[in-house]
Amino acid sequence: MWKISSLKTCFDEIEETKGDDECRAWLSRILDAKVELATFVATRRGGGRATEYAGFLKGSFNFSFRFKFRDGGPDAIIRFPKPGHTATALRDEKVANEVEVMEYLRQNTTIPVPRVHSWGFTSESPQQLGPFIIMDYIQGTPLSTVLRQPPKDDQVDVVLDPGIDNSTLDKIYGQIADYLFQLSQLTFTRIGAISRDGDTWSVTKRPLTYNMNELVTVAGYPDNLFPTSAFDRASDYLRSVADEHLAHLRTQRNLADDRQIAQARFIARHRFAQLIPKYCTDDAGPFIPFCDDLRPSNMLVDPETLQITAVLDFEFTNAMPAQFTYDPPWWLLLSGPELWLDRGSMSEFRDLYQPRMEQFLRALELREGMSAPEGQKLAEPRLSTRMRDSWRSGRFWFDYAARKSFELDAVYWAALHDGGIGIELLDDEARAEMGLFVEKKMGQLRTYKDECTARFS
């Protein structure tokens, strides 16, 4: 058995540095364009000229300017995806998808989604700075700030405060349980990006996911290997994901530091593909809107009342296999399980996660009870029942691995492996390939290290 901590998240340092350099150059350009952007936002928003620049907001993928206006209405922000942190080839697609999803959610749920005034592609933006969304600015504190453990010394990990008051969590969980319950009631017949044709919402385009963007920006993954169309069956989508994981393993040159790690990752990714029949459910649909990045750091809350005021960042939302919605939320400890897996501490994660999962599921059960018609029972199985089943069966871990190329290997060996050393579980073709694959990875690694030495020394 391989040591799980040796399979921790590993980015391509050269690609990551290129992305950071591209982003810094772009930030210099956009900061110089502040005045031009104020006029542009006022024109697109309507209601008079901008009267004050009120600052900027910077997230992992996006950068926004905030402006005040003379009409007394809400402040507005113009938000751009950051080049280098969002793949250039995906930026227009990302923004177009997000705007469609935001409107869909505003029409079909009570999730507090900001109102969009205008949006456009790169070609429509000042100085072609990038695709943009102009929307209302919403007051609030990031929910993760309210829930996190106060950082100590040089701690950078965002983790749930172990001493947080249960009544605080109950109030937060109740609201988010309501959002997830509402999403679980919305269905589509295909897997992919959600868009509107007239008054009809449907899926006609490929899914664009958080994982796809990560692969391009920090792994050097060729974007021409991604799917180009929507999917009709969950199993077809999951097989495409399995192919994506294997292509990632073959193309990221520094994904294995030695032969043992190369073998462990090779086995994990081939085994993931073999596990699809075991864990794939609801193959023919329906498919449910799912956001890869729906978590407290992308929610704003009034810190006094604990009322969530906005849910943000729907750029990687698609109609997805229903089983993703039927998993308990991965973010209940704020950071994902990889934080603990990177330390080799699966038992610690389980010990911390399960009580919070039960607390969240109790909140969900209360929400489900409210939705049942008077005198009638809610249709079974309930969402809360499905979530418990996902955790009990291990499907939670399979689905998490499906969405996370960089975490797949550690998840497989910690939670999905059936025993033994793994090689005996592979088919004949994969076993025959493994030796040549390992040698190729070691050659890639030597070339990569030489390039790093030349670039960073």
Side-chain angles (χ1 to χ4, degrees):
M1 181 68 69
W2 285 272
K3 189 175 180 181
I4 303 305
S5 58
S6 66
L7 301 172
K8 63 184 180 181
T9 301
C10 176
F11 295 158
D12 182 320
E13 187 177 355
I14 295 173
E15 293 297 326
E16 195 173 16
T17 301
K18 286 179 183 176
D20 289 344
D21 290 346
E22 182 182 2
C23 187
R24 275 192 292 270
W26 177 83
L27 285 172
S28 178
R29 287 181 58 213
I30 198 170
L31 288 168
D32 288 343
K34 240 178 354 191
V35 174
E36 182 180 358
L37 287 171
T39 302
F40 179 75
V41 171
T43 301
R44 288 284 189 132
R45 174 186 177 274
R49 68 180 179 85
T51 58
E52 183 183 341
Y53 162 66
F56 65 83
L57 307 167
K58 185 166 64 172
S60 299
F61 300 125
N62 302 298
F63 184 89
S64 307
F65 282 122
R66 175 184 168 194
F67 298 105
K68 295 181 179 295
F69 292 85
R70 66 166 58 221
D71 63 2
D75 295 359
I77 65 170
I78 181 168
R79 199 192 76 180
F80 296 89
K82 297 190 296 188
H85 295 180
T86 303
T88 301
L90 304 179
R91 291 167 73 207
D92 279 354
E93 182 181 2
K94 177 180 99 82
V95 167
N97 288 354
E98 183 173 12
V99 170
E100 295 274 37
V101 165
M102 291 174 72
E103 181 57 28
Y104 174 76
L105 294 178
R106 283 177 63 85
Q107 287 187 16
N108 292 280
T109 74
T110 60
I111 298 172
V113 178
R115 179 178 53 155
V116 173
H117 293 280
S118 180
W119 71 280
F121 294 115
T122 301
S123 60
E124 302 170 68
S125 65
Q127 302 180 37
Q128 297 198 340
L129 288 166
F132 61 89
I133 304 176
I134 298 171
M135 65 183 104
D136 284 344
Y137 170 79
I138 309 296
Q139 293 282 353
T141 299
L143 178 54
S144 54
T145 300
V146 174
L147 300 180
R148 72 173 294 179
Q149 182 179 36
K152 301 174 184 176
D153 302 325
D154 59 348
Q155 176 187 335
V156 295
D157 297 327
V158 178
V159 296
L160 183 69
D161 184 352
I164 195 166
D165 185 73
N166 276 330
S167 62
T168 295
L169 272 188
D170 285 339
K171 186 156 188 178
I172 296 300
Y173 283 174
Q175 295 172 78
I176 301 176
D178 174 50
Y179 304 156
L180 296 184
F181 179 81
Q182 290 185 62
L183 289 171
S184 75
Q185 306 301 298
L186 306 173
T187 60
F188 291 88
T189 59
R190 304 184 79 197
I191 293 170
I194 298 166
S195 59
R196 179 172 53 182
D197 183 7
D199 294 329
T200 303
W201 293 95
S202 63
V203 168
T204 60
K205 301 181 293 183
R206 71 172 181 179
L208 177 62
T209 66
Y210 181 102
N211 194 61
M212 290 164 64
N213 185 73
E214 290 289 277
L215 287 174
V216 173
T217 54
V218 293
Y221 188 97
D223 59 30
N224 64 340
L225 297 182
F226 289 136
T228 57
S229 60
F231 295 85
D232 295 316
R233 304 188 74 85
S235 57
D236 290 339
Y237 174 69
L238 291 170
R239 278 192 289 269
S240 173
V241 166
D243 291 342
E244 189 172 283
H245 291 328
L246 284 166
H248 172 218
L249 178 61
R250 294 187 177 105
T251 56
Q252 185 178 335
R253 298 178 298 168
N254 68 323
L255 202 55
D257 285 341
D258 58 40
R259 285 176 169 79
Q260 281 197 328
I261 293 175
Q263 288 182 19
R265 293 193 191 275
F266 182 90
I267 292 168
R269 292 176 190 235
H270 280 83
R271 286 290 295 144
F272 175 86
Q274 291 176 326
L275 290 172
I276 291 172
K278 177 179 179 179
Y279 289 110
C280 179
T281 64
D282 303 291
D283 190 28
F287 307 114
I288 298 174
F290 180 84
C291 179
D292 280 281
D293 212 19
L294 184 65
R295 54 188 173 130
S297 61
N298 289 329
M299 300 176 187
L300 301 178
V301 65
D302 182 327
E304 299 299 323
T305 66
L306 297 180
Q307 186 67 36
I308 295 174
T309 57
V311 181
L312 310 170
D313 294 352
F314 291 96
E315 57 246 85
F316 301 114
T317 302
N318 302 278
M320 280 290 184
Q323 64 195 72
F324 290 1
T325 294
Y326 299 159
D327 296 330
W330 61 265
W331 47 259
L332 294 178
L333 300 179
L334 299 188
S335 286
E338 60 271 17
L339 176 64
W340 288 267
L341 291 179
D342 284 354
R343 303 172 186 161
S345 303
M346 170 61 94
S347 59
E348 182 185 0
F349 173 78
R350 291 183 187 273
D351 290 345
L352 293 171
Y353 180 84
Q354 285 187 225
R356 296 311 182 191
M357 179 184 73
E358 288 299 331
Q359 187 175 3
F360 180 85
L361 292 179
R362 289 193 295 271
L364 179 56
E365 287 166 342
L366 288 174
R367 174 60 182 86
E368 291 168 333
M370 293 165 50
S371 69
E374 188 173 352
Q376 299 181 34
K377 290 185 177 181
L378 194 68
E380 298 287 350
R382 296 188 179 194
L383 179 59
S384 56
T385 301
R386 293 180 187 273
M387 287 186 176
R388 281 199 173 87
D389 178 67
S390 170
W391 181 254
R392 185 168 47 248
S393 68
R395 196 189 67 236
F396 170 91
W397 294 106
F398 175 84
D399 292 345
Y400 195 76
R403 300 192 300 271
K404 301 279 188 176
S405 285
F406 294 96
E407 277 74 57
L408 182 158
D409 309 302
V411 168
Y412 172 79
W413 289 107
L416 297 172
H417 183 57
D418 293 330
I421 62 173
I423 298 172
E424 73 282 1
L425 299 173
L426 302 182
D427 60 33
D428 292 343
E429 182 179 354
R431 281 199 298 271
E433 179 193 352
M434 189 164 71
L436 291 174
F437 163 80
V438 170
E439 291 307 315
K440 181 178 179 180
K441 290 309 292 182
M442 294 304 95
Q444 286 181 342
L445 182 64
R446 287 191 292 271
T447 302
Y448 172 81
K449 286 183 174 180
D450 288 344
E451 289 186 22
C452 283
T453 300
R455 182 179 180 94
F456 300 119
S457 61

